[in-house]
């Protein structure tokens, strides 16, 4: 089993809608979690981190962590065309393990 | 801060040639990571250094790959001899030690082996 699994996508949403991205993880990565955004041809960029159960909000982004279900998600509210990118979930034990990514397209 | 600096940005080489990728981490960061990204396999960790010491090289594909970190401000990833299947984007990332810190990635080196 991979340490971090992202099975959803690609995801296409209309401008202004909520994009919901999901990620599950194994017991080997259970400390802290990160969401990265990667534009085509660019490097991954850290946009959110979450360490404890519950929600964490930063602008239009909300990260949610449920340790009992081993589940982490990212919500993008009021999606904009500039949000079109691949979003990578990562979990940290002593190193970051990345999911395969979910490609989001926001339709204008 | 200039961020993580990688060179070259693009490299095209012939099969069998030696390739050296370079990385300068963010000043003060004591952990450095080399990742490879392909469409098929996503982001794969190749090797991880902490305080210039290799901690985990289990992701290095085979003996053709080697990495060094002679000091806190410089690391290299070498492929010798290179093969077409090594074609990928290679990222270097750095971080402060600790599970709560995310990584900062460099711009990557796009390697094409023909």
């Amino acid at each position: 089993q991979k340490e971090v699994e992202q099975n959803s996508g690609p995801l296409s949403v209309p401008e202004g809608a909520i994009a919901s991205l999901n990620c599950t993880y194994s017991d080997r990565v259970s400390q802290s979690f990160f969401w990265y955004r990667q534009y085509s041809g660019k490097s991954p960029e850290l946009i959110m981190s979450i360490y404890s159960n519950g929600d964490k909000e930063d602008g239009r982004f909300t990260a949610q962590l449920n340790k009992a279900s081993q589940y982490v998600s990212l919500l993008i509210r009021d999606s904009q065309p500039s949000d079109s990118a691949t979003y990578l979930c990562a979990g940290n034990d002593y190193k970051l393990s990345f999911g395969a990514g979910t490609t989001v397209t926001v339709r204008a | 801060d200039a961020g993580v600096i990688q060179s070259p940005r693009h490299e095209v080489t012939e099969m069998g040639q030696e390739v050296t990728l370079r990385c300068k981490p963010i000043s003060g960061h004591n952990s450095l990571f080399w990742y490879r990204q392909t469409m098929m396999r996503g982001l794969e960790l190749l090797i991880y250094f902490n305080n210039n010491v290799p901690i985990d090289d289990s992701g290095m594909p085979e003996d053709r790959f080697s990495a060094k970190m002679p000091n806190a401000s410089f690391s290299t990833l070498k492929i010798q001899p290179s093969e077409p299947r090594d074609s990928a984007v290679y990222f270097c990332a750095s971080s402060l030690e600790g599970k709560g810190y995310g990584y900062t990635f460099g711009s990557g080196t796009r390697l094409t082996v023909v």
Side-chain angles (χ1 to χ4, degrees), chain B residues 24-109:
Chain B
K24 176 179 169 57
I26 290 174
S27 177
H29 282 187
N30 59 356
S31 296
L32 184 139
F33 308 84
W34 282 100
Y35 281 87
R36 178 172 67 177
Q37 189 175 40
T38 61
M39 289 292 292
M40 290 296 295
R41 301 175 69 92
L43 263 175
E44 301 174 277
L45 178 65
L46 300 178
I47 188 167
Y48 155 42
F49 291 89
N50 184 251
N51 293 322
N52 312 336
V53 176
I55 303 299
D56 181 355
D57 65 355
S58 60
M60 296 286 263
E62 48 197 275
D63 292 346
R64 299 185 297 107
F65 285 69
S66 63
K68 294 182 179 179
M69 191 165 187
N71 56 62
S73 60
F74 184 66
S75 177
T76 59
L77 177 67
K78 185 177 294 186
I79 308 172
Q80 166 63 22
S82 58
E83 296 183 3
R85 60 192 169 119
D86 301 330
S87 297
V89 179
Y90 291 80
F91 288 107
C92 176
S94 72
S95 172
L96 286 168
E97 184 180 7
K99 297 174 182 178
Y101 296 100
Y103 302 171
T104 301
F105 283 80
S107 299
T109 295

Side-chain angles (χ1 to χ4, degrees), chain A residues 23-41:
Chain A
C23 183
T24 57
Y25 60 89
S26 73
D27 291 337
R28 286 174 289 177
V29 288
S30 58
Q31 299 298 321
S32 46
F33 299 89
F34 305 87
W35 283 98
Y36 283 79
R37 177 177 62 199
Q38 186 174 24
Y39 292 115
S40 180

Side-chain angles (χ1 to χ4, degrees), chain B residues 8-21 36-38 79 82-90 108-114:
Chain B
R9 290 296 305 275
H10 303 274
E11 177 80 37
V12 180
T13 191
E14 292 185 347
M15 182 174 61
Q17 296 299 304
E18 178 180 295
V19 175
T20 300
L21 311 182
R36 178 172 67 177
Q37 189 175 40
T38 61
I79 308 172
S82 58
E83 296 183 3
R85 60 192 169 119
D86 301 330
S87 297
V89 179
Y90 291 80
T109 295
R110 182 173 296 276
L111 174 65
T112 303
V113 183
V114 298

Side-chain angles (χ1 to χ4, degrees), chain A residues 20-92:
Chain A
S20 177
L21 310 172
N22 304 311
C23 183
T24 57
Y25 60 89
S26 73
D27 291 337
R28 286 174 289 177
V29 288
S30 58
Q31 299 298 321
S32 46
F33 299 89
F34 305 87
W35 283 98
Y36 283 79
R37 177 177 62 199
Q38 186 174 24
Y39 292 115
S40 180
K42 302 295 185 181
S43 59
E45 170 194 13
L46 179 64
I47 57 171
M48 289 286 286
S49 58
I50 187 165
Y51 314 117
S52 54
N53 273 328
D55 295 359
K56 179 181 178 182
E57 189 173 312
D58 184 359
R60 296 185 295 107
F61 297 95
T62 299
Q64 299 173 317
L65 176 60
N66 184 324
K67 290 192 176 183
S69 301
Q70 295 185 294
Y71 177 97
V72 59
S73 65
L74 180 71
L75 300 177
I76 307 173
R77 293 183 304 280
D78 187 24
S79 295
Q80 301 297 308
S82 60
D83 296 325
S84 298
T86 296
Y87 291 80
L88 299 159
C89 172
N92 197 347

